[in-house]
Amino acid sequence: MKVGITLPQFDHRAEPAIAAALRAERLGIDGVFCFEHLWPLGRPDRPALSPGPLLGALAASTSTVALGTLVARIGLVPDATLAAALGSLSAISGGRLIAGIGTGDHLSRPENDAFGVPFDPPDERREHLAMVGSAVQGAGIPVWVGGGRPRTVEVAVALGAAVNLWEGDLGQVARLTGAGLEVTWGGPVGSTAGQIASDLGRLAEAGATWAVCAWPDSLEAVAEAAGM
């Protein structure tokens, strides 16, 4: 199982996230990932760096670590714009991009509403998710479909893409992998190397192919826990 981290992007400055990605690469962590939020969930008073420009900077400043969106949200920009942006990031990173794509949910809707961005019904967002996913896969970019709801999982199945679960429980991971699906997982893990190793071990046993740790207390602890 590969291990990644999310970056500290809820900041006015890009430097902390770039520095974290460079440290992660030096430590041998497999991937670094960016959310797509207009502010941290529930905190409209705080900033959030856009994942596209940040990943572009990382593509230029790193050389081996995988780069990913976790996840790029359908509907914030036109489908063709999102697919083109992901294609460009893949090209400038030398094929290191993982395109996590999702529909968003009720928790992210206030961001759309605040900026006047339409929030289409779930089935329509899933249709657009399938179209963007297909276009991105056609460019040779691996796709993770964010969310574990049954109809969203159906989109992943139709695409032959991985299902990404944010804070999904181990039972759900095992059920989906047992059904023959690739499952990646993201969320908070323990604070010490021992706790992180225990969390990662359980995810690996459940069949996850990636575990993306929410911005951890210590990158060194993540690397130690993963045996890097």
Side-chain angles (χ1 to χ4, degrees):
M1 183 180 71
K2 293 185 176 182
V3 176
I5 60 163
T6 63
L7 293 173
Q9 68 185 99
F10 298 129
D11 198 309
H12 288 292
R13 303 161 301 147
E15 288 81 4
I18 294 171
L22 291 169
R23 281 176 56 211
E25 183 171 70
R26 287 195 298 269
L27 289 166
I29 291 171
D30 296 301
V32 296
F33 293 80
C34 296
F35 300 117
E36 183 162 42
H37 283 293
L38 305 180
W39 57 64
L41 284 176
R43 290 294 306 273
D45 57 309
R46 290 188 58 198
L49 296 172
S50 175
L54 178 55
L55 288 170
L58 295 177
S61 58
T62 62
S63 57
T64 59
V65 70
L67 310 174
T69 50
L70 202 72
V71 293
R73 275 176 34 212
I74 292 296
L76 287 181
V77 297
D79 293 351
T81 301
L82 176 56
L86 293 170
S88 295
L89 288 170
S90 180
I92 63 176
S93 68
R96 290 184 285 138
L97 183 74
I98 296 170
I101 310 171
T103 61
D105 59 19
H106 69 284
L107 295 175
S108 54
R109 178 167 188 164
E111 300 171 32
N112 290 58
D113 292 343
F115 288 90
V117 178
F119 194 74
D120 294 329
D123 284 343
E124 290 185 27
R125 284 181 276 133
R126 279 188 282 267
E127 289 178 9
H128 289 279
L129 173 63
M131 289 187 289
V132 172
S134 180
V136 171
Q137 281 187 325
I141 302 168
V143 170
W144 295 359
V145 171
R149 292 183 179 275
R151 289 187 179 179
T152 304
V153 171
E154 289 174 7
V155 174
V157 170
L159 290 170
V163 177
N164 177 255
L165 302 176
W166 184 259
E167 296 185 311
D169 63 63
L170 293 174
Q172 187 178 22
V173 174
R175 286 192 298 274
L176 291 172
T177 58
L181 298 175
E182 180 184 358
V183 177
T184 64
W185 181 93
V189 292
S191 58
T192 68
Q195 292 169 336
I196 298 168
S198 177
D199 291 343
L200 296 181
R202 288 194 294 269
L203 284 163
E205 289 176 5
T209 58
W210 273 86
V212 180
C213 307
W215 176 240
D217 294 332
S218 167
L219 294 184
E220 288 74 14
V222 171
E224 180 183 344
M228 295 166 177

